[in-house]
Amino acid sequence: MAQITIDGSTPVTFHCDETDTIMRAALRSGIGFPYSCNVGACGNCRFQLLEGEVEHVQTSPRAWTERDEKRQRYLGCQARPKTDCRIKLRTDEQYEPGTRPLPAMARLLAKTALTHDMTEFALELDTPLSFLAGQYALLGTPAIDSPRAYSMCNVSGGDTQWNFQIKRVPGGAMTEQLFDHLQPGDTLTFDGPFGTAYLREDSDRDILCLAGGSGLSPMIAIARAAAEHPQLRQKRLDFVFGGRRPEDMCGEDLLGELPGFGTTLHYHPAISEDVPADEWVGLRGFVHDVASQLFGEELRDREIYFAGPPLMAQAVQKMLFDLKVPFDQVHFDEFY
Ligand SMILES: Cc1cc2nc3c(=O)[nH]c(=O)nc-3n(C[C@H](O)[C@H](O)[C@H](O)COP(=O)(O)OP(=O)(O)OC[C@H]3O[C@@H](n4cnc5c(N)ncnc54)[C@H](O)[C@@H]3O)c2cc1C
Ligand code: FES
């Protein structure tokens, strides 16, 4: 067990197992260590190593540059301690976890197809644990090099069942395991919950959820939790879901089960590919354009949650920036 000290006027110390990463160990100790993706791609967890030795879990994480290496900067979600360490970074209370993440074992209970390439996976953990709507967990199997992040779609009852809506990625290592190899009864490694794009229960604003493809799961969780919440269920919630083609569309039946569907809760499916008029009669365009056309400057008064592939996330951020939507009303974890 290594001792990690975060330098500062009041140094903070915590312990990190040699098999754990410094960022996850900090969160397990309740420390607000900044992060987003948890898979070495966004760079938000970067810290400076002042003393000691670390190694990254992945040999070349996407967000780690030559410049970082020269300056002794590492990624907290990837760095495992080889010795006691002293590090420099600015902690932030917005990252302090509501539920401290824990590693666990998960058993696959069921797979339910949603579309030709989206499936809901129900997992049962070996220990009860709660999470907030919009958060994610890390799932892995011995067949893949490092775990992948997946967002939960159910509302946590603090029990053992966690459900995930996952899109198959052609050539993807983990989705191939999930879709083609794992069967009910098989086990996966699990670590969670993580993520800061959770439902803000204290907000008084109407809500907008924007989901593109693989981003469906956390937005369904937000809509489900809002529909159960005594104050938020009286607010308007618009749910824009974007896919390429009509066969990618899903979510309407899941939202249709919720109270308020059609009155306070509105579903807006949109496709981005140019298909003939007799194949699609609904909205067309990318999610950010559709949201901007439907709501425009009204978005400044909304609490906004979004999830989806990196290009969609960039386009949504730009659209919200151009519309001058206050950044503290916008919630997302970066997908990769
Ligand atoms: C915070 C967060 C939450 C997420 N939530 C969800 C969710 O709820 N649902 C969901 O479906 N996804 C989610 N994701 C995405 C998910 O974590 C995975 O990235 C995704 O499922 C792909 O994983 P994979 O192992 O199947 O693909 P990978 O093996 O990681 O491959 C990804 C892509 O890279 C290509 N590739 C792989 N290896 C190589 C190589 N050597 N050279 C060139 N190209 C290569 C593959 O062909 C594929 O296109 C989330 C991601 C993050 C960060
Ligand atoms: S790179 Fe570590 S949280 Fe994204």
PDB file of all heavy atoms in Angstrom, residues 23 35-45 63 75 77, ligand 2:
ATOM      1  N   MET A  23      -6.097   8.359  -8.847  1.00  0.00           N
ATOM      2  CA  MET A  23      -7.351   9.110  -8.846  1.00  0.00           C
ATOM      3  C   MET A  23      -8.482   8.314  -8.192  1.00  0.00           C
ATOM      4  O   MET A  23      -9.227   8.836  -7.369  1.00  0.00           O
ATOM      5  CB  MET A  23      -7.747   9.463 -10.275  1.00  0.00           C
ATOM      6  CG  MET A  23      -9.037  10.218 -10.371  1.00  0.00           C
ATOM      7  SD  MET A  23      -9.825   9.879 -11.946  1.00  0.00           S
ATOM      8  CE  MET A  23     -10.789   8.461 -11.572  1.00  0.00           C
ATOM      9  N   TYR A  35     -11.630  14.789 -12.601  1.00  0.00           N
ATOM     10  CA  TYR A  35     -11.602  13.751 -13.637  1.00  0.00           C
ATOM     11  C   TYR A  35     -12.849  13.883 -14.490  1.00  0.00           C
ATOM     12  O   TYR A  35     -13.730  14.690 -14.194  1.00  0.00           O
ATOM     13  CB  TYR A  35     -11.550  12.351 -12.999  1.00  0.00           C
ATOM     14  CG  TYR A  35     -12.841  11.907 -12.354  1.00  0.00           C
ATOM     15  CD1 TYR A  35     -13.660  10.946 -12.953  1.00  0.00           C
ATOM     16  CD2 TYR A  35     -13.270  12.462 -11.150  1.00  0.00           C
ATOM     17  CE1 TYR A  35     -14.853  10.541 -12.364  1.00  0.00           C
ATOM     18  CE2 TYR A  35     -14.456  12.057 -10.563  1.00  0.00           C
ATOM     19  CZ  TYR A  35     -15.244  11.096 -11.168  1.00  0.00           C
ATOM     20  OH  TYR A  35     -16.420  10.711 -10.591  1.00  0.00           O
ATOM     21  N   SER A  36     -12.922  13.085 -15.551  1.00  0.00           N
ATOM     22  CA  SER A  36     -14.169  12.965 -16.302  1.00  0.00           C
ATOM     23  C   SER A  36     -14.310  11.550 -16.861  1.00  0.00           C
ATOM     24  O   SER A  36     -15.130  10.784 -16.411  1.00  0.00           O
ATOM     25  CB  SER A  36     -14.259  14.007 -17.420  1.00  0.00           C
ATOM     26  OG  SER A  36     -15.478  13.895 -18.090  1.00  0.00           O
ATOM     27  N   CYS A  37     -13.444  11.178 -17.851  1.00  0.00           N
ATOM     28  CA  CYS A  37     -13.695   9.933 -18.596  1.00  0.00           C
ATOM     29  C   CYS A  37     -13.259   8.674 -17.870  1.00  0.00           C
ATOM     30  O   CYS A  37     -13.813   7.612 -18.087  1.00  0.00           O
ATOM     31  CB  CYS A  37     -12.999  10.000 -19.951  1.00  0.00           C
ATOM     32  SG  CYS A  37     -11.199   9.810 -19.857  1.00  0.00           S
ATOM     33  N   ASN A  38     -12.204   8.749 -17.051  1.00  0.00           N
ATOM     34  CA  ASN A  38     -11.698   7.589 -16.310  1.00  0.00           C
ATOM     35  C   ASN A  38     -10.966   6.576 -17.179  1.00  0.00           C
ATOM     36  O   ASN A  38     -10.639   5.474 -16.730  1.00  0.00           O
ATOM     37  CB  ASN A  38     -12.859   6.885 -15.591  1.00  0.00           C
ATOM     38  CG  ASN A  38     -12.520   6.497 -14.177  1.00  0.00           C
ATOM     39  OD1 ASN A  38     -11.410   6.062 -13.916  1.00  0.00           O
ATOM     40  ND2 ASN A  38     -13.444   6.655 -13.271  1.00  0.00           N
ATOM     41  N   VAL A  39     -10.748   6.878 -18.454  1.00  0.00           N
ATOM     42  CA  VAL A  39     -10.120   5.900 -19.357  1.00  0.00           C
ATOM     43  C   VAL A  39      -8.902   6.493 -20.096  1.00  0.00           C
ATOM     44  O   VAL A  39      -8.527   6.016 -21.157  1.00  0.00           O
ATOM     45  CB  VAL A  39     -11.140   5.308 -20.370  1.00  0.00           C
ATOM     46  CG1 VAL A  39     -12.158   4.448 -19.659  1.00  0.00           C
ATOM     47  CG2 VAL A  39     -11.829   6.395 -21.187  1.00  0.00           C
ATOM     48  N   GLY A  40      -8.299   7.542 -19.534  1.00  0.00           N
ATOM     49  CA  GLY A  40      -7.048   8.060 -20.100  1.00  0.00           C
ATOM     50  C   GLY A  40      -7.215   8.906 -21.347  1.00  0.00           C
ATOM     51  O   GLY A  40      -6.245   9.128 -22.071  1.00  0.00           O
ATOM     52  N   ALA A  41      -8.408   9.424 -21.603  1.00  0.00           N
ATOM     53  CA  ALA A  41      -8.632  10.123 -22.864  1.00  0.00           C
ATOM     54  C   ALA A  41      -8.882  11.625 -22.737  1.00  0.00           C
ATOM     55  O   ALA A  41      -8.616  12.364 -23.683  1.00  0.00           O
ATOM     56  CB  ALA A  41      -9.797   9.475 -23.603  1.00  0.00           C
ATOM     57  N   CYS A  42      -9.386  12.115 -21.604  1.00  0.00           N
ATOM     58  CA  CYS A  42      -9.767  13.536 -21.540  1.00  0.00           C
ATOM     59  C   CYS A  42      -8.662  14.424 -20.950  1.00  0.00           C
ATOM     60  O   CYS A  42      -8.604  15.612 -21.251  1.00  0.00           O
ATOM     61  CB  CYS A  42     -11.059  13.709 -20.733  1.00  0.00           C
ATOM     62  SG  CYS A  42     -10.862  13.466 -18.962  1.00  0.00           S
ATOM     63  N   GLY A  43      -7.833  13.894 -20.093  1.00  0.00           N
ATOM     64  CA  GLY A  43      -6.735  14.670 -19.494  1.00  0.00           C
ATOM     65  C   GLY A  43      -7.127  15.464 -18.260  1.00  0.00           C
ATOM     66  O   GLY A  43      -6.283  16.126 -17.654  1.00  0.00           O
ATOM     67  N   ASN A  44      -8.407  15.399 -17.845  1.00  0.00           N
ATOM     68  CA  ASN A  44      -8.848  16.212 -16.696  1.00  0.00           C
ATOM     69  C   ASN A  44      -8.199  15.797 -15.380  1.00  0.00           C
ATOM     70  O   ASN A  44      -8.229  16.554 -14.419  1.00  0.00           O
ATOM     71  CB  ASN A  44     -10.373  16.113 -16.517  1.00  0.00           C
ATOM     72  CG  ASN A  44     -11.124  16.827 -17.610  1.00  0.00           C
ATOM     73  OD1 ASN A  44     -10.520  17.320 -18.549  1.00  0.00           O
ATOM     74  ND2 ASN A  44     -12.433  16.859 -17.511  1.00  0.00           N
ATOM     75  N   CYS A  45      -7.648  14.576 -15.309  1.00  0.00           N
ATOM     76  CA  CYS A  45      -7.103  14.051 -14.048  1.00  0.00           C
ATOM     77  C   CYS A  45      -5.588  14.220 -13.973  1.00  0.00           C
ATOM     78  O   CYS A  45      -4.945  13.606 -13.116  1.00  0.00           O
ATOM     79  CB  CYS A  45      -7.459  12.574 -13.925  1.00  0.00           C
ATOM     80  SG  CYS A  45      -6.738  11.614 -15.275  1.00  0.00           S
ATOM     81  N   ALA A  63      -4.557  10.816 -23.720  1.00  0.00           N
ATOM     82  CA  ALA A  63      -4.386  12.215 -23.295  1.00  0.00           C
ATOM     83  C   ALA A  63      -2.991  12.508 -22.762  1.00  0.00           C
ATOM     84  O   ALA A  63      -2.727  13.617 -22.306  1.00  0.00           O
ATOM     85  CB  ALA A  63      -5.421  12.550 -22.218  1.00  0.00           C
ATOM     86  N   LEU A  75      -1.467  10.893 -15.623  1.00  0.00           N
ATOM     87  CA  LEU A  75      -2.934  10.884 -15.568  1.00  0.00           C
ATOM     88  C   LEU A  75      -3.369  10.095 -14.330  1.00  0.00           C
ATOM     89  O   LEU A  75      -3.018   8.918 -14.184  1.00  0.00           O
ATOM     90  CB  LEU A  75      -3.509  10.241 -16.827  1.00  0.00           C
ATOM     91  CG  LEU A  75      -3.129  10.919 -18.143  1.00  0.00           C
ATOM     92  CD1 LEU A  75      -3.688  10.138 -19.331  1.00  0.00           C
ATOM     93  CD2 LEU A  75      -3.633  12.361 -18.168  1.00  0.00           C
ATOM     94  N   CYS A  77      -6.171   8.773 -13.497  1.00  0.00           N
ATOM     95  CA  CYS A  77      -7.003   7.581 -13.707  1.00  0.00           C
ATOM     96  C   CYS A  77      -6.196   6.415 -14.246  1.00  0.00           C
ATOM     97  O   CYS A  77      -6.701   5.296 -14.326  1.00  0.00           O
ATOM     98  CB  CYS A  77      -8.189   7.883 -14.630  1.00  0.00           C
ATOM     99  SG  CYS A  77      -7.752   8.187 -16.350  1.00  0.00           S
TER     100      CYS A  77
HETATM  101  S1  FES B   2      -7.896  11.044 -18.689  1.00  0.00           S
HETATM  102 FE1  FES B   2      -8.207  10.531 -16.611  1.00  0.00          FE
HETATM  103  S2  FES B   2     -10.255  11.119 -16.276  1.00  0.00           S
HETATM  104 FE2  FES B   2     -10.040  11.392 -18.425  1.00  0.00          FE
END
